[in-house]
Amino acid sequence: MNMVEAIKSAGVVGAGGAGFPTHIKLNAKAECFLVNAAECEPLIETDKYLCRTYPDRIVETVVKIAEHLGAKRSVIALKDHYHSEIKALEQAIDRKKAAVEIFKMRSFYPAGDEQTLVYEVTGRSVPERGLPLDVGCVVDNVGTVLSIADALEEKPVMEKYLSVTGAVAKPVMFHAPIGTPIRRILQAADLKETKYAVILGGPMMGKMLRTDGEIDAAVVTKTTGNLLVLPKDHYLVRRSELTPERMIHQAATACIQCKMCTDLCPRYMIGHEVRPNMVMRSLWKEALITDEKEYKRCFGSAANCCSCGACEMFSCPMGLSPRKMNDYAKGLLRARGINVEKNTQPVARDGIEHHRIPTDRLIARLDLTRYVTHTEPELIEFQVDGCMIPFSQHIGKPAVPKVSVGDHVAKGDLVASAAEGGLSANIHTGMAGVVTEVTDRGIVISGKEE
Ligand code: SF4
Ligand code: SF4
């Protein structure tokens, strides 16, 4: 089996983002292979833990992937204050005599955004709505690299490393089967709050779970990297309760057109046409605009927004929601059937290095400083007696079930296979047991004897 087939068979998807199927990404040739270990968002520990714990496995797999891609350059990018992780990787590179570079980035948000990372390492701007491959690069998260290492040994993706941070006695790492209920993980962490909300992922782009029902329905997936626990009255929880109507009203009445949202936008700075201030300025008259050219001038740039949230969580002095309004504008463009042209050769704007958002300032702005610790979290190997494995853990089509109610499955068995035609990925079980339910959403497995 070649590398791409092994990765496809193991169901590897991007571990640090939206879950792009890796066998499709790596079915390519590239000049540069970049490993993203920059832990884009604050208060996530997973990538650092993996770099400290598996440096040799990471380095040897990077070499194999670079060889497969025909890459002349292999780079592991991480933040310059990750001292233990840099040391561990540098020692591994020495031991293996590997041609792998360590690239140290300043601590800013969003250092781990794929396109920002490509610009930092290569000085190239990825085209609007393009891929790193368009400028000769392939980027994988460090967790994905370890999944590839497993795939090359015919071990599928069936468990996940994730940190639990925020309102906990101390941050902790879990290694849990895919499909583990989030509530079970939280019960095993030492929470400081009895009434809490949880962000799946980081505070900037993660998914907020506010209600008990939302938390009870959530499970660990291939892309879960962190649970951020917050008190129910935390600023971020209250902010997430704003309705779209309220945000539109605020945009129309409170935006002072200072343009900070645009000036600090990471995609604007690498040369993309993203102008959230223009969207905010135009919302009040949206329904009145009939001319398509004028509509594009007002709202077209929303198409290039990557929803990183820098504008609304940091830049805006009025506490407005330009990211959400860009999302809203994308829907409006779709509804009107308007296609926005792409700039295929963007050029980074002058002063880009002075328009970075320092991570510590961002943490303070998000009222998260009290949750910052400098201890290395311990690992809990987590076992469950029941799980729900979703069919959609990746971008593209949901996987197709391969098991039925009553089937006995062993750990590592394929339970749903990649859908034909288009993006999809195989799914395996991380626990042995009996299939008790197959729903539209996924497969329920019980480890208890009948
Ligand atoms: S969310 Fe805001 S800062 Fe981020 S890309 Fe979109 S407009 Fe730019
Ligand atoms: S930063 Fe806020 S106030 Fe300033 S232009 Fe953008 S949305 Fe308006």
Side-chain angles (χ1 to χ4, degrees):
M1 211 186 298
N2 68 30
M3 180 178 274
V4 170
E5 285 165 358
I7 290 169
K8 182 176 183 190
S9 170
V12 181
V13 305
F20 192 90
T22 305
H23 65 277
I24 294 171
K25 186 187 268 192
L26 288 193
N27 196 8
K29 291 290 167 200
E31 194 185 322
C32 186
F33 178 53
L34 305 180
V35 180
N36 187 352
E39 208 91 81
C40 191
E41 298 212 37
L43 294 180
I44 302 183
E45 292 291 332
T46 309
D47 290 354
K48 279 181 277 181
Y49 175 84
L50 297 177
C51 289
R52 287 194 304 273
T53 312
Y54 300 111
D56 290 278
R57 196 161 169 78
I58 292 167
V59 169
E60 67 192 27
T61 311
V62 169
V63 171
K64 287 180 193 167
I65 298 169
E67 199 176 293
H68 161 80
L69 292 169
K72 294 192 198 96
R73 197 176 169 203
S74 310
V75 180
I76 303 175
L78 62 180
K79 290 177 182 153
D80 56 9
H81 68 280
Y82 290 2
H83 301 296
S84 314
E85 295 75 18
I86 290 171
K87 189 172 167 196
L89 289 165
E90 283 179 341
Q91 287 175 343
I93 290 168
D94 273 355
R95 277 194 293 275
K96 309 249 166 229
K97 302 203 180 341
V100 176
E101 296 169 42
I102 296 291
F103 187 88
K104 298 172 196 169
M105 308 171 83
R106 277 165 49 203
S107 186
F108 69 90
Y109 182 79
D113 165 53
E114 202 169 70
Q115 298 195 9
T116 300
L117 191 87
V118 167
Y119 177 80
E120 288 288 308
V121 177
T122 68
R124 298 172 190 170
S125 290
V126 175
E128 289 177 356
R129 282 162 276 156
L131 296 171
L133 195 57
D134 296 330
V135 290
C137 300
V138 166
V139 184
D140 269 327
N141 170 267
V142 70
T144 314
V145 169
L146 286 169
S147 294
I148 293 169
D150 288 344
L152 296 175
E153 294 167 1
E154 297 183 24
K155 184 180 166 202
V157 181
M158 51 185 173
E159 290 155 330
K160 191 77 176 74
Y161 286 96
L162 65 151
S163 49
V164 181
T165 59
V168 288
K170 57 179 182 178
V172 62
M173 289 295 308
F174 281 86
H175 188 219
I178 301 294
T180 298
I182 293 296
R183 185 72 83 181
R184 295 289 307 279
I185 301 265
L186 295 169
Q187 284 163 348
D190 194 358
L191 304 192
K192 282 185 180 167
E193 302 285 337
T194 48
K195 292 198 169 127
Y196 55 83
V198 178
I199 300 181
L200 283 183
M204 298 295 281
M205 298 182 76
K207 183 178 179 198
M208 176 70 75
L209 307 176
R210 277 198 307 264
T211 66
D212 281 347
E214 287 170 336
I215 296 172
D216 288 335
V219 296
V220 173
T221 71
K222 294 178 185 180
T223 58
T224 311
N226 185 61
L227 307 180
L228 176 59
V229 183
L230 295 171
K232 275 239 158 130
D233 60 352
H234 189 274
Y235 160 72
L236 292 175
V237 183
R238 283 185 279 115
R239 182 165 183 144
S240 72
E241 289 163 3
L242 273 180
T243 62
E245 295 72 28
R246 180 93 188 124
M247 291 180 215
I248 294 168
H249 179 73
Q250 286 181 336
T253 55
C255 175
I256 55 173
Q257 282 300 297
C258 65
K259 213 169 150 281
M260 288 296 288
C261 50
T262 298
D263 288 344
L264 289 178
C265 169
R267 292 294 169 97
Y268 173 78
M269 287 315 298
I270 63 168
H272 292 189
E273 183 64 13
V274 191
R275 296 183 188 269
N277 72 299
M278 178 62 95
V279 172
M280 297 296 277
R281 185 163 82 191
S282 309
L283 278 167
W284 69 273
K285 58 178 179 183
E286 184 273 322
L288 306 173
I289 305 173
T290 50
D291 177 55
E292 184 169 313
K293 201 169 157 202
E294 174 63 5
Y295 203 87
K296 274 191 197 173
R297 192 182 73 82
C298 294
F299 300 109
S301 77
N304 296 322
C305 168
C306 68
S307 296
C308 73
C311 49
E312 69 185 30
M313 307 300 262
F314 184 84
S315 313
C316 181
M318 304 301 287
L320 306 181
S321 311
R323 164 179 51 183
K324 294 273 170 30
M325 293 301 93
N326 268 349
D327 290 345
Y328 176 67
K330 283 180 200 171
L332 295 173
L333 290 165
R334 272 195 302 275
R336 290 203 184 201
I338 295 175
N339 286 318
V340 180
E341 298 74 23
K342 299 176 191 175
N343 179 0
T344 56
Q345 293 185 314
V347 176
R349 295 178 207 271
D350 289 343
I352 180 170
E353 64 280 8
H354 304 303
H355 286 71
R356 300 301 197 199
I357 297 172
T359 307
D360 54 350
R361 293 297 309 135
L362 176 66
I363 289 172
R365 187 74 190 257
L366 299 177
D367 191 20
L368 294 173
T369 308
R370 71 190 112 149
Y371 301 125
V372 175
T373 61
H374 298 288
T375 50
E376 294 178 358
E378 287 170 16
L379 180 74
I380 296 177
E381 285 285 353
F382 202 64
Q383 302 296 326
V384 275
D385 55 13
C387 68
M388 197 292 288
I389 303 175
F391 297 131
S392 261
Q393 302 182 42
H394 47 263
I395 286 179
K397 295 182 184 175
V400 180
K402 300 302 281 182
V403 291
S404 307
V405 172
D407 286 354
H408 287 253
V409 291
K411 183 173 175 176
D413 279 358
L414 180 76
V415 291
S417 60
E420 294 293 332
L423 300 177
S424 193
N426 285 342
I427 293 176
H428 304 76
T429 172
M431 62 170 281
V434 180
V435 176
T436 58
E437 226 180 316
V438 179
T439 69
D440 289 348
R441 193 173 159 228
I443 295 161
V444 181
I445 297 174
S446 170
K448 291 179 186 154
E449 293 299 326
E450 293 291 308

